[in-house]
Amino acid sequence: MEVLEAIRVRKSIRAYSPNPVPKEKLEKILEAARLAPSAENKQPWYFVIVTDPERRKRIAKSGRFARFLTECPLVIVGCGDRQASPKWYAIDVAIAMQNMVLAATSEGLGTCWVGSFDEELVKRLLKIPERYNVVALLAVGYPKKKFDLLGKIMHLIRRRKKLRNIVGLEEYGGPLA
Ligand SMILES: Cc1cc2nc3c(=O)[nH]c(=O)nc-3n(C[C@H](O)[C@H](O)[C@H](O)COP(=O)(O)O)c2cc1C
């Protein structure tokens, strides 16, 4: 799948089939993270792959908007090393995670970024060392096959700001031709 096509068709998936993510697809997704750019090439990231249902349940319960992680077969926990890159760790981890999102999309998988979680609980549960912050979680799996009319409409409408409101030509507010 072309990158622009993956960007276009991607949408947040919050209902998953229990089918596991095949190993070769997971490897491609992780390779996409590994190849991401980072400030001074510090690569201040670590990704914990969580498939264990009990652990997913604990994580899911820790956030108001993370409940669907109980049924999502794979959760990737994006950690950033504050010591390695105090200024850029969060941005670097986010770039790597969005690479994973696009790779997963092109492999026919659904994803959803999750920022709703209890960081201390996740760190304790997954034995993540103190010097890391948990930047975000990524749900990955096959979308549940059900006719999701509302989701389809929302995706078509795509509530996004107009380009003219987020881009300035030559200066802030400079009108686009
Ligand atoms: C950093 C970040 C955190 C997010 N956290 C959550 C979350 O905790 N729960 C959730 O259901 N969606 C979460 N989302 C998904 C957004 O709600 C979603 O991307 C946005 O509504 C646009 O919809 P779309 O992804 O389908 O285009 C998050 C997205 C980002 C980028």
Side-chain angles (χ1 to χ4, degrees):
M1 189 186 283
E2 291 282 338
V3 175
L4 286 178
E5 175 69 359
I7 291 170
R8 207 173 55 75
V9 300
R10 181 218 59 84
K11 60 183 174 188
S12 291
I13 299 296
R14 299 181 180 89
Y16 291 90
S17 102
N19 295 347
V21 174
K23 191 167 170 276
E24 62 284 2
K25 288 191 190 278
L26 177 59
E27 280 168 5
K28 282 187 191 170
I29 292 167
L30 296 175
E31 183 66 359
R34 198 177 73 84
L35 296 177
S38 60
E40 296 178 66
N41 199 21
K42 288 267 176 68
Q43 305 165 61
W45 44 55
Y46 193 94
F47 301 100
V48 181
I49 310 301
V50 183
T51 59
D52 172 54
E54 195 47 44
R55 285 189 167 154
R56 283 192 281 112
K57 201 160 127 194
R58 298 270 300 275
I59 296 169
K61 279 176 145 179
S62 86
R64 269 182 74 194
F65 304 105
R67 300 298 147 108
F68 60 93
L69 295 182
T70 48
E71 62 161 33
C72 172
L74 175 70
V75 180
I76 301 178
V77 178
C79 310
D81 186 336
R82 292 189 311 276
Q83 282 173 16
S85 187
K87 185 171 174 191
W88 298 107
Y89 73 89
I91 286 177
D92 290 341
V93 171
I95 292 169
M97 291 182 80
Q98 186 62 9
N99 268 14
M100 290 199 272
V101 166
L102 295 178
T105 305
S106 79
E107 290 296 313
L109 290 156
T111 60
C112 188
W113 279 82
V114 175
S116 172
F117 59 90
D118 179 333
E119 183 174 13
E120 283 317 308
L121 178 142
V122 172
K123 281 181 78 167
R124 242 182 296 119
L125 184 69
L126 307 179
K127 304 188 173 80
I128 295 166
E130 167 48 33
R131 69 176 189 280
Y132 289 94
N133 274 23
V134 180
V135 175
L137 317 178
L138 195 62
V140 185
Y142 289 102
K144 196 179 237 169
K145 283 205 173 38
K146 60 166 191 190
F147 190 66
D148 178 13
L149 183 62
L150 183 63
K152 279 199 164 50
I153 292 169
M154 291 302 281
H155 187 60
L156 278 176
I157 299 170
R158 288 228 130 180
R159 290 184 301 118
R160 291 298 196 263
K161 293 179 178 177
K162 297 260 185 292
L163 211 50
R164 65 171 179 275
N165 295 331
I166 59 167
V167 180
L169 189 60
E170 308 296 355
E171 62 182 28
Y172 189 95
L176 295 174

